[in-house]
Amino acid sequence: MNVTDPFRDADGDKLREECGIFGAIRSDQASALTALGLHALQHRGQEAAGITSFDGTTFFSRRGLGHVAENFSTPQQLGELPGFMAAGHVRYSTTGGSGLRNVQPLYADLASGGFAVAHNGNFSNAQAVRDDLVSRGAIFQSTSDTEVIIHLVATSRYPTMIDRFVDALRMVEGAYSLIVMTPEGMIACRDPLGIRPLQMGKLGDAVVFASETVAFDVVGAEFTRSIEPGELVKVGFDGKVESLRPFGNHAPRPCIFEHVYFSRPDSIFDGRSVYAARKAIGEQLAIESPVEADLVVPVPDSGVPAAIGYAQQSGVPFELGIIRSHYVGRTFIQPGDGARTSSVKRKHNANRGLVEGKRIVLIDDSIVRGTTSLQIVEMMREAGASEVHFRVASPPTAHSCFYGVDTPERSKLLAARMDVEPMREFIKADSLAFVSIDGLYRAVGGIPRNSACPQFCDACFTGEYPTSLTDLAQKQAGDAQLSFDKVA
Amino acid sequence: MNVTDPFRDADGDKLREECGIFGAIRSDQASALTALGLHALQHRGQEAAGITSFDGTTFFSRRGLGHVAENFSTPQQLGELPGFMAAGHVRYSTTGGSGLRNVQPLYADLASGGFAVAHNGNFSNAQAVRDDLVSRGAIFQSTSDTEVIIHLVATSRYPTMIDRFVDALRMVEGAYSLIVMTPEGMIACRDPLGIRPLQMGKLGDAVVFASETVAFDVVGAEFTRSIEPGELVKVGFDGKVESLRPFGNHAPRPCIFEHVYFSRPDSIFDGRSVYAARKAIGEQLAIESPVEADLVVPVPDSGVPAAIGYAQQSGVPFELGIIRSHYVGRTFIQPGDGARTSSVKRKHNANRGLVEGKRIVLIDDSIVRGTTSLQIVEMMREAGASEVHFRVASPPTAHSCFYGVDTPERSKLLAARMDVEPMREFIKADSLAFVSIDGLYRAVGGIPRNSACPQFCDACFTGEYPTSLTDLAQKQAGDAQLSFDKVA
Amino acid sequence: MNVTDPFRDADGDKLREECGIFGAIRSDQASALTALGLHALQHRGQEAAGITSFDGTTFFSRRGLGHVAENFSTPQQLGELPGFMAAGHVRYSTTGGSGLRNVQPLYADLASGGFAVAHNGNFSNAQAVRDDLVSRGAIFQSTSDTEVIIHLVATSRYPTMIDRFVDALRMVEGAYSLIVMTPEGMIACRDPLGIRPLQMGKLGDAVVFASETVAFDVVGAEFTRSIEPGELVKVGFDGKVESLRPFGNHAPRPCIFEHVYFSRPDSIFDGRSVYAARKAIGEQLAIESPVEADLVVPVPDSGVPAAIGYAQQSGVPFELGIIRSHYVGRTFIQPGDGARTSSVKRKHNANRGLVEGKRIVLIDDSIVRGTTSLQIVEMMREAGASEVHFRVASPPTAHSCFYGVDTPERSKLLAARMDVEPMREFIKADSLAFVSIDGLYRAVGGIPRNSACPQFCDACFTGEYPTSLTDLAQKQAGDAQLSFDKVA
Amino acid sequence: MNVTDPFRDADGDKLREECGIFGAIRSDQASALTALGLHALQHRGQEAAGITSFDGTTFFSRRGLGHVAENFSTPQQLGELPGFMAAGHVRYSTTGGSGLRNVQPLYADLASGGFAVAHNGNFSNAQAVRDDLVSRGAIFQSTSDTEVIIHLVATSRYPTMIDRFVDALRMVEGAYSLIVMTPEGMIACRDPLGIRPLQMGKLGDAVVFASETVAFDVVGAEFTRSIEPGELVKVGFDGKVESLRPFGNHAPRPCIFEHVYFSRPDSIFDGRSVYAARKAIGEQLAIESPVEADLVVPVPDSGVPAAIGYAQQSGVPFELGIIRSHYVGRTFIQPGDGARTSSVKRKHNANRGLVEGKRIVLIDDSIVRGTTSLQIVEMMREAGASEVHFRVASPPTAHSCFYGVDTPERSKLLAARMDVEPMREFIKADSLAFVSIDGLYRAVGGIPRNSACPQFCDACFTGEYPTSLTDLAQKQAGDAQLSFDKVA
């Protein structure tokens, strides 16, 4: 399949958001709204999509590998999803061989009736909880961490659905924005730290939820407000909206990388447009790390807003020195005729006429493994650039994410292995600079980082994880045990 | 299928190039090179692709609907195409119900052996020639205009293949860049006026041909030169290259729209980069039609280079006021909840935070039907723009193309129905201006249009067609006859 | 799909066995043996097939709609099923929309490791058990009655797998032949009455199990013995075979319809070939209900052995007066040109030259709804038969089966609605006779029915069900309640 | 795909009819009739099917690999084939890689309008004619011999369609039954010797044509008469039927193997039922080659009628000693556990209880390679048969067919390599006998063979080919030339 992803790189040299979610209640076109909303969130997950709907009596599900448009655009496809409540999910990866089983929303028939859940995030103690449930006789259908929620609800002793659901949430740790459907209505909730985003909107009588506001623009809905960290919003079929705060108050820690890279530039978080934040990062970068040059060239497409900011701040002209093809297939055979035909060329090609003889400032959003950065720098030099300066619109990415973002193992992260100067050598640039963590905070939130109580989750840059990581700790203990065993 | 096309609009409100071609000889990876080359030309045709190869004894063909990457990327797929010579074709449309039959290269077993042809362009007397051939007993396999060439070669009385081929070319009129394969080698040729492009390159021992130079960049080949208008280049398996000029000399008339819109910005024609030409058109536009404004906003993606040029010339800042989604499915059901959810929003969304309260200059490459332009202007206003000025990087498109470009019927072209001021009213802009025809010539070729002998084919703007249009003339005569019959 | 079923009728006017099962342990070609064995049992279920294998560490599953040969014949398909233990299942119907979810073997990861089960039969209290399990938090993956076994094992408190399995079996009632796989080996078992069959064989070191002996013939295995009613046979990877009898002793009640119709004629039950039994039924019928006639004509293919018996006993010649086409598609459009083109003609066509002017004895294995019988009789008359006498190789089918056989609702069974003479009128035969229940017992088992303690399950003829029918009783109680409610 | 073929053997050890054809004109359900008629002729070709229809203006075609029911049974599928005239074709093999291109009816747009042809048979000079046409500029679409007819019609100089068609037929030699459609109506014709069959029927106003009468039974049509050898029957849309005899009179030579094996037993040729002819061959065989035995056992299914005849004539009882499975997949992996699991067992299994200790007469319709016969004999012995006598319902098949029947190369035919006694040894039977050629003629036609002027084409038995074999002669000349070249 020809997977194209305009906001990121297809070869895995980027961090990847794993999911986007959307829900609609009180619309007789709930599933059509959900399809369109998911389509607007397609950049958050391209490998699979699912929608579950409810018509007052029965839940209906449809899942598919590939894009939303392939699976949820025809009248026949949507005809399988009748009703006035629906929720959907786009997913980056389908881990393992279980294929469609892991595509969300997950659904189960509980004693109290149907229960469907769509999840953006990751439970950092999912394995521990699962092991405990299995030892008590639970049978899992998927390998998804999300499924523990369903079993926790199914086995909770509380009398009401909402109490069973809160009981279940108390058992899990990590990051989660959830949209849940029961025969009583829809529940949207966000983990106590609000790591992953979740927005609320309305469209006539309908209430809608989405990972990003851009989905509301596309379906024609109006943005109401963000779901608060630790908040549960329950919407009944009569339109009654209740807000619960079962976990008390915590200082929020939303993911700062949503601003750097994951979200669409036309989305808005807490009143700040993502595009504006990215431009501000570029400006900050120009102030922190200026360089004399002829052209500011973005690594397309995600580097464009920061490059515009950098260019405006520095006065160096913005130009498309790299042309991106959006027709990207991963498995092309490379004819090995001795010619240099690196795979990067299939998606990025130097605009030779422009670049030749020029001093270039390349702007990219982040460096993960560094392999693509190296190829881009080399491509610029082959096209005749006299100097290539690399500027990165985020601090060095030195730590893995356990909150629903696909990161390589830490050992593969370039910034985990070396300092900035060796990184510069590795990517063969004339100079290399990253925006500072304070610069980033300032661009995104207006003030520097409060190190006592950071305003964002920035664990990928700082290693300061805001929750326990039970599964990781047990795995490390096990590995240690294994090592110990071997030694003894 | 989720068709994405970064350089143009999916709803048909653009002119569309109909084909791209690529050929390689003297490489044991000829079909892999061809697949990669076609992939780089994917923007010239997304609906079907085909490759034919030759291994010294047998011709092999594979055709498929959809993108190159879907049909020609796996070892199994390419394993069906062995040999050291191959040619391929990407195609915009598969007209009618005949599906794969019309996908090129077309192939036939002639008395002299196999004959394969890939064609970019259109024969303007194809129907007349076909009628004549059928009356003499020829049986056509496809509804493609290209097939007449094969029958003309098959029935030619000349003794050698090259003579039969030239004999066939003398029978046709219109625009054609052709790559032909026979058991003797490869022939690349261009019609006497050179309306459609064709480039020649080399990669080690291999000789390659492509519609645009970007294909050479992607396969790692070196650009040699353009095939001249009216030239036939014949390459043998021994590497011998011969150039023939059987049609004498004509003043060339290459299609100027290749610079405006069809070609990739990183391609180079006659030493001039397409990107540079487009920026120059934008500069020209800023000089010819300045306006006081806060932001220059491109209609993405094709309007971007001209917008950069306009911004640099005018000093008004370049900003991404419209964010484009590249996940485009054509058949989404529109939930009709009374909300405004025009289909244009699925691919273009206003960057509200940026646009609000601003005076905007929108830059687009052309206006065809005008419907999309209207939606874009309205979207800007809804997002709060205080003024919307529309600037177009080509003159008004008022005439159909009969040379291999898919244009709506003339009656659907906005510029064929009205002048500039009514067009402005139609699209609801505060002002509207097109670049002048001389400005366009200056930007692309350095000097104004020579009206006695224009340097380009600009029939879509001027209605001056450089060849006879036999089929059109016969059809009009027939229609006239019909009208006459009705009257009498 | 073109479903062909040589031993029965495609239009639903037959009872249908719902499943066949096969298992192999201690062979490094376990899944290939299982595929071939299932292929030999294809007549027991044509709509879906599945195989699960175990390689000492991991369980592998593959399921598909359609025939075994479509899903389990290529090296790639079987390559997905490595290991030295495998079990498989063919299935008549995939009830509801859940498709592949209900295809067996069912599999779950339990705390003790993997657990796979293939089931031939039906639990007559499955709904009651399921409701109880769900109320305790169990989440079901399928709508199959078989899944209760897995949850009962998962939630059993006994310490060993075999004890948990026996504990689970004690909770269910009805008919079941099961093949179970765990990391400790394979368990084959049969319900206490042995309603459904299960055979054991060997092939070199391997132990194999199958619903019918014909599967052993086809894989080249040797028949060892039948699994006894109420017996569990456990086979370890070391080849150790243990027999358990956890349910004490019961008089067996195997399904007599296996002899009449379900099983292949070349299978052998308790030393008696099915073919011989069917011929003996035909002989019995000739003795009980003779008639003067010119030809004995079987309704192909299932009526053939009884017809041969009838012909040999009566001296009336056996002839193929009906020719059967095995290319049967269910959905053909009937051109309605006023001609008589009943769907029965697509599979059964009169052998006109033979039948014309003759007195015919038609032999069929059973009458279910009677609609096909009527069409066959009419077809004989149209072809010129002077008399048509109908003889049936089983007693009138007047009761539904709840033990894994697909029967129409009772109200659709012709024999539930009327006596023999009205049945004769309905099918328009000159005479109609069924074999007597004692005649059937004599033909199959050598002695008449012991009405105090019948030797077979013959509930479909007599209505004497050998087990409780909890789900049916609860449903009837519910319906009664409903009626009562309406009245009150 | 699970290909089942009740009347023959799936492993290629049978001669195979290559095609069946059906046509209908003057019915508004022409394509539905054709689909049903082809379905009844499915035994004549299982690998591909096609239908072409005409609605007064346009021809419509649909082709598919696989069975008729898979490709022509749904309303959608038949909705693609509107009109009141249709013809179709089932085909045994799709030679070479050209796939659907060779599936008939073949169709072309000629100067006079559309022309569709469905062909049962084979032109024995197709290559010679093709070479000539190609040398004159014709371009072939398929590798089918049938296509020459279209080109011959297209290039004929005669003024009317019927004259051009007769002109074309004069150029070809061999066996052909053709159904042709033009904008003027339908033409059905048979070669001058009538080697392949073609029947005519009616259904209300509609006229229908089919290879066998069984198709009329299934669609509800009435048999009118056979098309005569050398006759062209032309049917107009007004219902006018004309008969032409452009080739003068020849003594007919219909294929005798249609009676032995190809046709369905319920079809009727020249007033004689195929079933009756086959029974008569069995009787003849019992008279010519009696043997003392306990059971007459047919090799199912094709041997059944002859076995009934043999049993009735000899008094030895007819029994199903071999049970055939109709679920046949060709590619099953054979588990090689050292056990004997020959592929023949997947379709033929010994009815052990019956056969043990008995003297068996096996009846089969023919012996081709002999490999299956050997396996069947061995299977009988393994099942305990004390003697196995083999009787064949046709003379030894010692010559290839060039008239549309798929025969192995001559060197693979057992009877071409050895006499009867060595054949007996080869198949390990206790005795072996074939019906005599005169016995066969008597059974099928009532009188012995007239050796001066045989009443049938029996070339596969006698080597007396009734037409020239130009392509074979040229190939042999070429081979001779080659041999000569090598020697010299």
Side-chain angles (χ1 to χ4, degrees), chain C residues 350-400:
Chain C
N351 194 344
R352 190 176 299 267
L354 185 72
V355 163
E356 201 157 18
K358 299 286 174 32
R359 294 167 302 169
I360 307 290
V361 190
L362 282 175
I363 311 288
D364 204 352
D365 56 272
S366 59
I367 290 181
V368 181
R369 287 186 182 82
T371 46
T372 302
S373 308
L374 167 61
Q375 290 177 311
I376 299 269
V377 171
E378 288 187 325
M379 191 172 66
M380 288 292 100
R381 293 210 195 277
E382 282 168 40
S386 61
E387 292 175 23
V388 183
H389 302 275
F390 212 104
R391 295 293 176 270
V392 185
S394 59
T397 304
H399 302 271
S400 297

Side-chain angles (χ1 to χ4, degrees), chain A residues 168-237:
Chain A
L169 291 179
R170 286 192 204 285
M171 308 290 290
V172 294
E173 71 186 23
Y176 52 86
S177 288
L178 299 171
I179 298 177
V180 163
M181 294 190 291
T182 77
E184 296 161 30
M186 182 169 276
I187 307 167
C189 76
R190 228 169 138 197
D191 65 73
L193 302 177
I195 296 175
R196 302 256 69 87
L198 191 57
Q199 317 297 336
M200 182 172 174
K202 67 173 177 172
L203 174 59
D205 288 341
V207 178
V208 293
F209 299 98
S211 299
E212 297 182 31
T213 59
V214 69
F216 301 152
D217 292 347
V218 170
V219 304
E222 207 177 308
F223 172 65
T224 309
R225 64 175 180 87
S226 293
I227 305 300
E228 296 298 313
E231 183 185 16
L232 271 75
V233 174
K234 194 181 152 192
V235 186
F237 296 119

Side-chain angles (χ1 to χ4, degrees), chain A residues 103-126:
Chain A
V103 178
Q104 299 193 14
L106 297 184
Y107 175 81
D109 279 312
L110 307 187
S112 55
F115 183 91
V117 58
H119 175 202
N120 177 200
N122 188 60
F123 300 131
S124 56
N125 67 339

